[in-house]
């Protein structure tokens, strides 16, 4: 009796993919059209398959008696493409998230390694240290400028040193205020490509 792969799978109580495997392994008797000689194939399989191993691993019935057909997989066990999980193709998109995460991690690690090398070579300085140094310099500059009216007001206007002191103090405060605003605007603006390149050199 000639049988299709699906029919022969039902007779053996296995999935059709197992029958396809047996075909590739040459364990079945086929005609020119690829149909399976059921009786001869059962005999050949029973002689070649290990019964205990087959029953434990795949639930195969290796006796010649036909076995009940396997239950159809439930809807929850069938993928969106109509295949059971074992038959679904592993698309490269299935793990694309993993590779994207891996690429981002490797890029970040490379940037950290480059920054570490530049810092050790003296091409990079810690922001905290630079900010602290500039804060100290700015405070000293402000104090020195504010001391100018005290030293020069009497010389500039001996008849009215208070007026000279106020004029000098107002002008110094105006300049310091403009400098502060300019620095704040520069700090808030995003750094351009040229500035970033200069910062790394």
């Amino acid at each position: 009796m000639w049988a299709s792969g699906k029919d022969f799978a039902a007779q053996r109580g296995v999935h059709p993919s197992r029958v396809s495997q047996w075909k590739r392994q040459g364990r079945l008797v086929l005609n020119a059209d690829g149909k399976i000689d059921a009786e001869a194939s059962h005999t050949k399989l029973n002689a070649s398959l290990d019964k205990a191993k087959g029953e434990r691993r795949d639930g195969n019935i290796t006796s010649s008696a036909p076995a009940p057909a396997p239950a159809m997989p439930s809807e929850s066990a069938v993928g969106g493409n109509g295949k059971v999980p074992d038959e679904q193709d592993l698309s490269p998109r299935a793990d694309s998230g993993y590779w994207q995460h891996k690429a981002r991690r490797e890029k970040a690690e490379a940037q950290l390694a480059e920054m570490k090398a530049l810092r050790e070579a003296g091409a990079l300085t810690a922001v905290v240290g630079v900010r602290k140094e500039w804060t100290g310099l700015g405070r000293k500059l402000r104090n020195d400028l504010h001391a100018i009216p005290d030293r020069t007001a009497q010389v500039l206007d001996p008849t009215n040193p208070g007026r000279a002191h106020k004029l000098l103090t107002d002008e110094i405060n105006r300049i310091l205020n403009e400098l502060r605003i300019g620095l704040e605007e520069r700090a808030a603006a995003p750094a351009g490509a040229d500035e970033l390149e200069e910062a790394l050199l």
Side-chain angles (χ1 to χ4, degrees), residues 122-191:
L124 286 181
T125 305
V127 174
V128 175
V130 174
R131 184 179 291 117
K132 183 178 180 180
E133 183 174 353
W134 273 102
T135 300
L137 291 174
R139 185 178 295 110
K140 184 178 184 303
L141 175 63
R142 182 194 62 192
N143 293 338
D144 290 345
L145 289 174
H146 281 159
I148 291 176
D150 295 335
R151 297 196 309 267
T152 62
Q154 184 67 35
V155 177
L156 293 174
D157 192 351
T159 60
N160 192 354
R163 177 174 175 274
H165 190 285
K166 183 177 185 307
L167 289 174
L168 288 171
T169 301
D170 290 346
E171 187 65 16
I172 290 171
N173 287 335
R174 182 186 66 79
I175 294 174
L176 289 175
N177 188 56
E178 290 179 356
L179 179 62
R180 177 185 59 81
I181 293 174
L183 291 174
E184 289 177 352
E185 290 177 350
R186 184 176 179 83

Side-chain angles (χ1 to χ4, degrees), residues 6-21:
K6 184 177 180 180
D7 293 337
F8 189 75
Q11 294 176 18
R12 299 294 299 190
V14 298
H15 195 272
S17 61
R18 175 64 65 184
V19 176
S20 298
Q21 181 183 9

